[in-house]
Amino acid sequence: MPIHEKSLIRPENLKTHDQLVIDGVDVSGHWSTFIESRVVTDYNERLEEEIAALPGGEHIHRCWQCGSCTNSCTVNAINPDFNPRFWIYLIRTGMESELLRDKDIIWQCVSCNKCTYACPRDVFPEGVMKATAHWLELKGHTPKSKSTIFDEEFTEQVIATGKIEEGRVIRNFFAKTGQPLLQDWLVEMVKRIARRLPFKQGLTMALAAIFRPKTKNWKKARAAISEYVQEQEQHRRKSLGIEDRT
Ligand code: SF4
Ligand code: SF4
């Protein structure tokens, strides 16, 4: 089974001279190729700990770099730069600046979990990808992704009422992400659902959209869940050294 290796020699670090003569010998062109020395001084020694503190990243320390995750990865098959094994290596060795070079593609994980089934060490690479994408957002390296905004909207509704009203989730998500509500695919989907939906169920959904029903005796549960979510959030921010931003 091939291991998807990744070269640490970047093209911009390869130097050649078009015209170079040394001791009377012409070594122009690729004969004079050399690699610029690469010195890493800005290690983040807490990087592995920080990723491990986020949901999904807990087992990153188990990785033995076999490459099975990258080898089985759906996204790697179409984008060779998407390399979970390599990112786990960078995280475990504290090479934050190297990791940040790929910050704009880490979110591309499609959560197919092929890597999770392939991993012989139960690292849960899919979880590590999620934790890393979350870490990038929390540290301010990338803007909040649409999937994070959707998750937040969903969670807010569950905590507020103990129920999910899909229409409200979609409306609020579109408003927060600046998308128009009347999108062709959505209008078509609503039409098709409306055609097949039993009248009673349609009426219940319409009333729920207007009156926003709550789960009975939800107040205590809401307080307990809110407290737990807040505690977890504070714990994560503290682990990442960003508690003063709350
Ligand atoms: S879950 Fe993500 S990292 Fe794992 S195989 Fe699928 S796309 Fe790749
Ligand atoms: S995460 Fe698992 S599959 Fe990927 S390199 Fe590490 S041990 Fe191998």
Side-chain angles (χ1 to χ4, degrees):
M1 182 170 64
I3 292 178
H4 287 71
E5 263 313 330
K6 171 132 183 138
S7 174
L8 292 176
I9 302 170
R10 294 182 186 273
E12 64 269 25
N13 291 344
L14 286 173
K15 301 288 172 204
T16 57
H17 293 269
D18 290 338
Q19 299 293 330
L20 185 66
V21 177
I22 299 176
D23 292 339
V25 180
D26 185 352
V27 289
S28 306
H30 74 274
W31 288 102
S32 65
T33 301
F34 70 96
I35 303 164
E36 265 194 359
S37 58
R38 180 170 165 274
V39 181
V40 180
T41 53
D42 55 345
Y43 289 99
N44 175 358
E45 290 174 12
R46 296 197 63 253
L47 188 54
E48 181 180 351
E49 221 175 290
E50 291 179 2
I51 298 292
L54 298 173
E58 296 89 346
H59 303 304
I60 189 172
H61 64 283
R62 294 182 183 165
C63 177
W64 59 14
Q65 288 290 297
C66 69
S68 300
C69 49
T70 300
N71 200 39
S72 61
C73 178
T74 305
V75 179
N76 177 269
I78 48 174
N79 177 9
D81 286 335
F82 188 95
N83 193 326
R85 180 206 62 78
F86 177 60
W87 293 328
I88 291 172
Y89 163 76
L90 295 179
I91 292 165
R92 297 207 62 205
T93 50
M95 291 209 262
E96 181 171 330
S97 50
E98 287 291 315
L99 181 73
L100 291 180
R101 283 172 176 263
D102 290 334
K103 68 186 169 77
D104 294 326
I105 58 171
I106 292 172
W107 64 270
Q108 289 177 353
C109 170
V110 294
S111 291
C112 63
N113 271 304
K114 282 185 181 176
C115 55
T116 303
Y117 290 104
C119 178
R121 296 278 294 162
D122 284 345
V123 172
F124 301 117
E126 186 269 347
V128 176
M129 292 304 99
K130 281 278 161 2
T132 308
H134 193 188
W135 177 87
L136 287 165
E137 288 176 15
L138 286 170
K139 287 273 185 168
H141 296 304
T142 54
K144 213 181 258 188
S145 68
K146 285 184 178 159
S147 69
T148 300
I149 295 171
F150 186 88
D151 286 350
E152 284 178 356
E153 177 59 34
F154 192 92
T155 309
E156 271 170 31
Q157 288 209 20
V158 173
I159 294 176
T161 63
K163 285 183 186 288
I164 281 296
E165 200 275 292
E166 290 89 348
R168 194 180 304 273
V169 174
I170 296 286
R171 281 199 308 278
N172 290 356
F173 170 67
F174 280 4
K176 285 178 180 173
T177 52
Q179 298 183 69
L181 189 56
L182 291 178
Q183 300 192 36
D184 291 348
W185 66 270
L186 185 60
V187 172
E188 185 57 30
M189 191 177 81
V190 171
K191 273 190 203 162
R192 289 188 193 191
I193 292 175
R195 261 184 244 133
R196 288 169 178 76
L197 207 63
F199 175 75
K200 199 175 165 195
Q201 198 177 343
L203 184 66
T204 308
M205 284 171 73
L207 290 174
I210 298 166
F211 295 111
R212 205 177 186 191
K214 287 190 176 68
T215 297
K216 218 174 162 192
N217 299 325
W218 184 246
K219 207 173 163 189
K220 276 189 185 167
R222 182 174 58 214
I225 295 171
S226 299
E227 195 183 341
Y228 176 76
V229 169
Q230 215 173 349
E231 262 175 34
Q232 291 298 311
E233 190 61 24
Q234 275 170 2
H235 167 69
R236 283 173 205 148
R237 287 182 170 274
K238 197 172 171 195
S239 304
L240 270 57
I242 52 174
E243 67 264 51
D244 53 333
R245 286 199 208 162
T246 53

